[in-house]
Amino acid sequence: MTNDEKERFEIVKELCALQDCTLQEAYNFIKTGKAVTGPLPKTANNPEPPALADGVYIVTRKGRAIEYTGEGIALLDDEAIGIGIKQGDRALTVALTDAADGEDVTLTANKDTTDYDGYIDTCIDAVADWNGKANTDHLREIGLNPAIKLKDGEYIPSVAELYLIYTHRKEINAALRFVGGDEIPGDWYWSSAEYSATYAWYLYLGTGTLYCDAKASGEGRVRPVSAFNFNR
């Protein structure tokens, strides 16, 4: 970092303590000294900003991702819309509340009668499945339980995505408490991965136990997720 960039960095720290600044705006000002709001062209002197570090983040309505450290966090006039998790090249945003008012519900209204070739019938393949969005699209085709109301961009997590939540559940729940969301209990949660025309996988978030149940008659909770852009 040049001396000019160091001076601008100090200005950014003072400014962002008084008003909202996106990471992109702060980075642009440090690099150019100008209040450029869009992304800068990538050059040798202006490389891509580094991706966020692994961890748990508060995702805000204004597009900010604030690392949750448990202290010294101020949202100012922004508000949280989810909790982001990043682990390596895997990431997602966890909704602040369960679907269906936190009730145990069936996954679909009926079993699958479509000509579907995406069933996952072994545990080893289920835990490697990160295709929650595509899986959810097929559940909609079958007839997703109408009690499971998903917002634009939301989907039901795959088994691998549920395990990512399970691994970080303690930190996620701490962040959820901080922003006033509903903690994720150690209960059975549906994944969007289907075992067969009748069954789907679900995960017990208390112990990490993976099992199957009938998607049109078995019941579990649903915590929606959405994409988390960690290249900010």
Side-chain angles (χ1 to χ4, degrees), residues 150-211:
L150 301 176
K151 299 175 183 176
D152 288 346
E154 287 187 337
Y155 59 90
I156 299 171
S158 68
V159 173
E161 290 166 329
L162 273 180
Y163 269 116
L164 181 61
I165 294 171
Y166 169 71
T167 303
H168 297 278
R169 187 165 73 95
K170 181 178 180 179
E171 298 94 329
I172 293 168
N173 279 345
L176 285 167
R177 286 194 300 272
F178 180 80
V179 301
D182 293 340
E183 293 184 47
I184 302 172
D187 288 340
W188 287 101
Y189 274 81
W190 284 115
S191 84
S192 55
E194 297 171 72
Y195 176 88
S196 67
T198 303
Y199 294 94
W201 295 95
Y202 64 174
L203 186 68
Y204 188 65
L205 290 183
T207 61
T209 302
L210 182 63
Y211 201 65

Side-chain angles (χ1 to χ4, degrees), residues 68-201:
Y68 179 74
T69 60
E71 57 185 20
I73 300 172
L75 299 183
L76 300 177
D77 62 343
D78 208 348
E79 65 174 318
I81 59 171
I83 304 299
I85 322 165
K86 180 183 180 295
Q87 182 175 297
D89 62 351
R90 301 296 186 180
L92 53 80
T93 299
V94 180
L96 299 181
T97 60
D98 281 348
D101 296 323
E103 297 293 323
D104 288 333
V105 293
T106 63
L107 187 59
T108 61
N110 44 265
K111 73 176 186 178
D112 187 10
T113 58
T114 65
D115 185 18
Y116 184 54
D117 62 359
Y119 299 131
I120 304 173
D121 59 5
T122 64
C123 285
I124 195 169
D125 289 327
V127 298
D129 173 42
W130 292 90
N131 298 314
K133 187 175 185 304
N135 296 343
T136 303
D137 288 342
H138 183 252
L139 292 174
R140 288 191 176 103
E141 184 181 350
I142 298 170
L144 190 63
N145 184 336
I148 303 173
K149 295 178 171 59
L150 301 176
K151 299 175 183 176
D152 288 346
E154 287 187 337
Y155 59 90
I156 299 171
S158 68
V159 173
E161 290 166 329
L162 273 180
Y163 269 116
L164 181 61
I165 294 171
Y166 169 71
T167 303
H168 297 278
R169 187 165 73 95
K170 181 178 180 179
E171 298 94 329
I172 293 168
N173 279 345
L176 285 167
R177 286 194 300 272
F178 180 80
V179 301
D182 293 340
E183 293 184 47
I184 302 172
D187 288 340
W188 287 101
Y189 274 81
W190 284 115
S191 84
S192 55
E194 297 171 72
Y195 176 88
S196 67
T198 303
Y199 294 94
W201 295 95

